């Protein structure tokens, strides 16, 4: 049973729309957060007070604003929240409809539902909540489901994401190997990392590692 819901959304109009729709559907206590850092604090405070949130509904993109934020997007927020509270249900409600991003969120971030914003977005969000909470199965709205059914979706796993993220930060392959060794990430040999990068360059048709990072970033795979 859901008694506490947190909505992470930076647009006031979207927040109001979601809250209004949910209030007609559930008696759960509903909180909102316009920034990811605030959402993280609220999730952890709920755990400390033994009054945890049962459901997080989050957008993927957030306006940066003038203040510097530790967590800048929905992917990072989902990752942090899942580490703090693995059992929480998470539904993404976003404009994003790239199949690689949607698939990555289910496979690498363990989300429970994905709904694309749009004409019937709020209706689909209610369906997602009902399916995820009552039936304890994942839900994908028709728009996202159609995107996922496209052929030849370029996809990378969490290990490959980390390699590309470190490359994007300026790490050399030897430094990535050392980072993996220190953090007990396998495989961690320089040869293994080189082989994985070679495979990724072939799959993404990239001539260099820099081009590979650029392509993966444009696809939203490592942001």
């Amino acid at each position: 049973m859901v008694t506490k819901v947190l909505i992470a959304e930076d647009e006031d109009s979207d927040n109001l729309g979601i809250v209004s729709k949910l209030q007609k559907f559930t008696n759960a206590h509903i909180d909102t957060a316009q920034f990811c850092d605030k959402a993280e604090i609220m999730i952890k405070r709920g755990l400390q007070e033994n009054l945890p949130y049962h459901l997080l509904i989050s957008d993927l993109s957030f306006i940066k604003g003038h203040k510097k934020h530790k967590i800048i997007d929905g992917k990072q927020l989902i990752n942090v929240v899942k580490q703090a509270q693995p059992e929480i249900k998470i539904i993404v409600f976003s404009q994003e409809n790239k199949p690689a991003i949607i698939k990555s969120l289910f496979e690498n971030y363990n989300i429970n539902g994905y709904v694309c914003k749009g004409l019937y977005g709020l209706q689909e969000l209610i369906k997602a909540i009902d399916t995820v909470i009552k039936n304890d199965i994942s839900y994908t709205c028709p728009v996202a489901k159609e995107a996922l059914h496209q052929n030849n979706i370029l996809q990378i796993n969490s290990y490959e994401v980390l390699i590309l993220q470190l490359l994007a930060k300026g790490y050399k392959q030897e430094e990535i190997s050392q980072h993996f060794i220190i953090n007990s990430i396998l495989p961690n040999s320089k040869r293994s990392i080189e082989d994985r990068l070679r495979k990724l360059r072939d799959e993404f048709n990239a001539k260099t590692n820099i081009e590979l990072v650029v392509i993966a970033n444009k696809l939203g795979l490592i942001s």
Side-chain angles (χ1 to χ4, degrees):
M1 181 179 179
V2 174
T3 58
K4 283 187 72 177
V5 178
L6 178 59
I7 302 167
E9 168 63 62
D10 59 1
E11 294 287 343
D12 286 335
S13 58
D14 286 342
N15 258 329
L16 290 172
I18 298 171
V19 171
S20 176
K21 197 75 174 177
L22 286 181
Q23 285 175 338
K24 296 177 182 179
F25 172 73
T26 177
N27 293 321
H29 176 80
I30 304 169
D31 289 321
T32 63
Q34 288 187 293
F35 298 100
C36 295
D37 287 351
K38 182 181 178 182
E40 179 196 14
I41 291 170
M42 294 172 74
I43 291 288
K44 291 183 175 179
R45 183 181 299 157
L47 289 170
Q48 291 171 355
E49 296 174 351
N50 201 27
L51 293 169
Y53 288 94
H54 302 106
L55 173 65
L56 169 66
I57 299 170
S58 179
D59 199 348
L60 291 180
S61 60
F62 289 78
I63 297 173
K64 293 182 180 179
H66 300 292
K67 184 180 178 181
K68 186 176 181 181
H69 297 282
K70 181 180 69 174
I71 306 173
I72 61 173
D73 60 42
K75 279 187 178 180
Q76 293 180 5
L77 174 62
I78 291 167
N79 188 43
V80 169
V81 169
K82 277 292 188 179
Q83 289 181 25
Q85 188 181 345
E87 71 278 7
I88 192 172
K89 304 293 186 182
I90 297 180
I91 297 174
V92 173
F93 187 49
S94 172
Q95 296 280 6
E96 182 59 67
N97 60 5
K98 292 178 182 176
I101 293 177
I102 299 171
K103 188 172 183 180
S104 173
L105 285 164
F106 276 107
E107 294 187 353
N108 299 325
Y109 292 80
N110 298 315
I111 67 169
N112 303 93
Y114 196 100
V115 178
C116 295
K117 293 181 179 180
L119 184 60
Y120 300 106
L122 288 176
Q123 294 180 28
E124 288 297 326
L125 181 59
I126 295 302
K127 289 181 183 178
I129 295 170
D130 193 53
T131 301
V132 168
I133 299 303
K134 290 185 178 180
N135 301 321
D136 198 27
I137 57 176
S138 62
Y139 182 88
T140 311
C141 75
V143 175
K145 190 174 292 184
E146 183 179 351
L148 288 173
H149 285 165
Q150 294 178 17
N151 295 325
N152 301 321
I153 296 176
L154 292 173
Q155 180 62 28
I156 56 179
N157 59 38
S158 57
Y159 175 80
E160 293 163 342
V161 168
L162 184 53
I163 290 176
L164 295 180
Q165 286 176 335
L166 292 174
L167 275 179
K169 291 179 180 179
Y171 281 61
K172 297 178 181 178
Q173 292 176 40
E174 186 173 339
E175 292 172 328
I176 295 174
S177 173
Q178 288 300 314
H179 177 84
F180 282 5
I181 292 171
I182 292 171
N183 291 279
S184 301
I185 299 171
L186 296 172
N188 52 34
S189 69
K190 185 180 176 183
R191 176 64 180 274
S192 297
I193 294 166
E194 288 175 346
D195 289 344
R196 192 62 61 97
L197 284 171
R198 187 180 304 109
K199 178 183 78 74
L200 288 171
R201 288 196 302 270
D202 289 341
E203 290 179 356
F204 285 81
N205 195 27
K207 295 180 181 178
T208 66
N209 287 338
I210 293 176
E211 186 180 3
L212 173 62
V213 169
V214 170
I215 293 172
N217 190 50
K218 284 183 178 179
L219 289 171
L221 297 174
I222 60 173
S223 58

